[in-house]
Amino acid sequence: RYISTFRPSVKCEVEKNKAQWKTMGPAKVAVPSPKNFLQKHSKEPKLPARKKEQDSKKLPALSVPRRTDHPVMGIQTEKNFINTNAVAAITGLPKKPQPIYVDRRQGDKYLLETSGLVPKYIKKKDYGVTPKYITRRNEEIKRAQKEYEASIMEDLKKRAMKRLSDEERRSLLQGLKKNWEEVYREFQGLSVELDTIPKKIHKEKLELQMKQLEHDIEVIEKHKVIYIANE
């Protein structure tokens, strides 16, 4: 059997370090000196020492006079302040009072300028001017209406239809209203008591005619453009 030549040395090292970590921590620990005890704030980071300002930097110039400065003496003016003030008071315009408003009879006073009651908006440059987006929208609506009418006219030409003029539409509307008045007059002339079947049938017929005429009048008044087929 093979036996290593380093076996005795390895065995000696194992037996030597076998119980080295058997206790809590290493067997031999350097004991701190009692003079080096933990002090307050000793573990906090310390800032570097503050450097003194250099003497070459000059202080900024002050806007106030120094304590050692003295005012200039002996200067006099020839202006007569009494006469000047009197002339200014005589020739000056009187001070206009500020406009105010009071919310009630014994209420507090407020400035009228900042109250919102003064119509300042009428002084704007664009006051009363139609906004650009509305003008652009109206133009788009007119263009769309023209395109729609052109397409309708082409379709009508294909279908052999014509458009009623304003006079024909007006005369048609007047005729329908006249027919309604005649039917209504005949309806008013019916007897109050409907005791027979023919009377009831006649009343229902007049009501249907009036209802149809009212529908036709409403349609013609609602639509300004009317197309009819050529006969």
Side-chain angles (χ1 to χ4, degrees), residues 153-229:
M153 291 300 295
E154 291 180 0
D155 193 14
L156 292 176
K157 289 179 180 178
K158 294 179 181 179
R159 297 182 182 181
M161 299 182 70
K162 69 174 183 178
R163 175 180 174 179
L164 285 180
S165 61
D166 295 339
E167 295 180 358
E168 292 176 349
R169 175 177 170 276
R170 196 179 303 109
S171 62
L172 179 61
L173 189 60
Q174 291 178 357
L176 290 174
K177 290 182 179 180
K178 187 177 180 181
N179 293 339
W180 184 87
E181 290 176 357
E182 293 177 357
V183 176
Y184 182 71
R185 190 181 301 108
E186 187 177 355
F187 181 80
Q188 291 290 329
L190 293 175
S191 60
V192 179
E193 185 178 357
L194 302 176
D195 51 354
T196 60
I197 295 177
K199 289 183 179 180
K200 293 181 180 179
I201 295 174
H202 185 55
K203 181 184 177 183
E204 292 177 358
K205 182 180 179 181
L206 294 177
E207 288 177 350
L208 290 174
Q209 289 180 2
M210 291 172 59
K211 188 175 182 181
Q212 184 63 35
L213 289 171
E214 289 175 357
H215 178 265
D216 295 341
I217 291 171
E218 183 180 359
V219 170
I220 294 175
E221 287 181 346
K222 184 177 181 181
H223 301 87
K224 296 182 179 180
V225 181
I226 300 175
Y227 296 93
I228 58 175

Side-chain angles (χ1 to χ4, degrees), residues 24 49 103 122 131 133 147 179:
M24 295 296 292
D103 53 0
I122 62 176
Y133 74 94
E147 292 177 357
N179 293 339

